[in-house]
Amino acid sequence: MADTLPVKARRAQPSARAATAEPPPPPPASEPGGDDLALDESSDLTPVVATNLKRFRAERGLSLERLAKASGVSRAMLGQIELGQSTPTINVLWKIARALGVPFSALMSQATSPVTTVMQASHARILRSRNGDFSSRALFPMDRPRNVEFYELRLAPRSVEHADAHAPGTSENLIVTEGSVEITVSGERRVLETGDAILFEADSPHSYRNLGGTEAVMYLVMTYGSRG
């Protein structure tokens, strides 16, 4: 990745590939600990995800078994999500979206077609880590699949959030508006101060670490590669 942005770079040993776990209880003994993002409990997205997952799977003629094998998410978990009995984590949603070949937002979309949309903060759809250290708020209407998504990210002081590799061709363009954040991509670190921005290919494991003693705020534009 070309270092053309106003950031401070330093090399580091590659970090271990971040592994994700399906929601407890209880996680298999072989899965590492650590937080995973889940839909906010006050959100109405669980039934929306259930409906979309069932529709996309049917359109592709995939059984639960085949989708489980393609996504790495267990058949039991997929069945629970389709029935609206389980609230999926963000990493589980990423795995399913990648296996289905759809943008992440497609699993959370409800079909409406207003010309102008106001997204009130009081009705925001938020993904939070289980310990509350990290949150992601969608700043775009989830009315249809799209190739570009816009998010507000908040990270608690001295905390870190790990992300799995996204689909090939996915990029992240991020600006820090409050705080100091270290972005690590495939073991290479970049430190961003307030006002600094970064663009990187997100098809490898990456992480966000808040280096300061106050909450960090970032805005992220996620762009997916062309889907032929």
Side-chain angles (χ1 to χ4, degrees):
M1 177 179 66
D3 190 6
T4 59
L5 297 163
V7 297
K8 306 167 194 173
R10 66 178 186 275
R11 299 293 301 181
Q13 293 299 321
S15 57
R17 190 178 186 87
T20 58
E22 294 178 17
S30 61
E31 294 178 344
D35 289 332
D36 196 3
L37 292 176
L39 301 177
D40 190 287
E41 290 183 0
S42 62
S43 171
D44 60 353
L45 286 177
T46 299
V48 174
V49 171
T51 299
N52 288 331
L53 173 55
K54 189 179 299 183
R55 175 168 59 86
F56 285 131
R57 187 172 64 81
E59 288 174 354
R60 287 154 179 75
L62 292 173
S63 65
L64 285 173
E65 295 283 359
R66 287 179 61 194
L67 182 56
K69 197 169 294 185
S71 66
V73 178
S74 71
R75 183 187 186 284
M77 175 59 65
L78 291 171
Q80 290 173 11
I81 294 171
E82 280 198 3
L83 293 173
Q85 296 175 345
S86 178
T87 300
T89 63
I90 191 171
N91 279 323
V92 166
L93 288 178
W94 274 116
K95 290 177 181 179
I96 295 171
R98 184 170 183 175
L100 291 171
V102 299
F104 178 73
S105 58
L107 288 171
M108 299 185 290
S109 300
Q110 289 177 292
T112 57
S113 55
V115 175
T116 301
T117 303
V118 175
M119 288 150 286
Q120 297 179 326
S122 59
H123 294 88
R125 291 176 171 179
I126 299 175
L127 298 164
R128 300 185 191 277
S129 60
R130 296 197 182 282
N131 65 4
D133 283 351
F134 182 77
S135 69
S136 171
R137 175 166 70 109
L139 300 175
F140 57 94
M142 293 183 175
D143 56 352
R144 64 185 67 85
R146 60 190 70 240
N147 287 330
V148 179
E149 299 170 354
F150 183 34
Y151 295 94
E152 177 189 71
L153 309 180
R154 291 179 176 268
L155 189 57
R158 312 294 181 188
S159 60
V160 62
E161 179 63 28
H162 297 279
D164 276 350
H166 301 321
T170 303
S171 66
E172 293 193 14
N173 194 177
L174 179 146
I175 182 169
V176 177
T177 58
E178 295 181 32
S180 175
V181 179
E182 178 186 85
I183 307 294
T184 302
V185 183
S186 296
E188 187 172 0
R189 299 177 183 176
R190 296 286 189 270
V191 175
L192 279 67
E193 305 294 346
T194 299
D196 289 342
I198 189 171
L199 172 66
F200 63 91
E201 297 301 313
D203 52 6
S204 59
H206 48 285
S207 66
Y208 320 87
R209 182 184 299 275
N210 184 350
L211 301 176
T214 59
E215 181 182 61
V217 180
M218 300 160 278
Y219 289 90
L220 168 67
V221 175
M222 177 89 70
T223 304
Y224 297 91
S226 59
R227 298 168 187 274

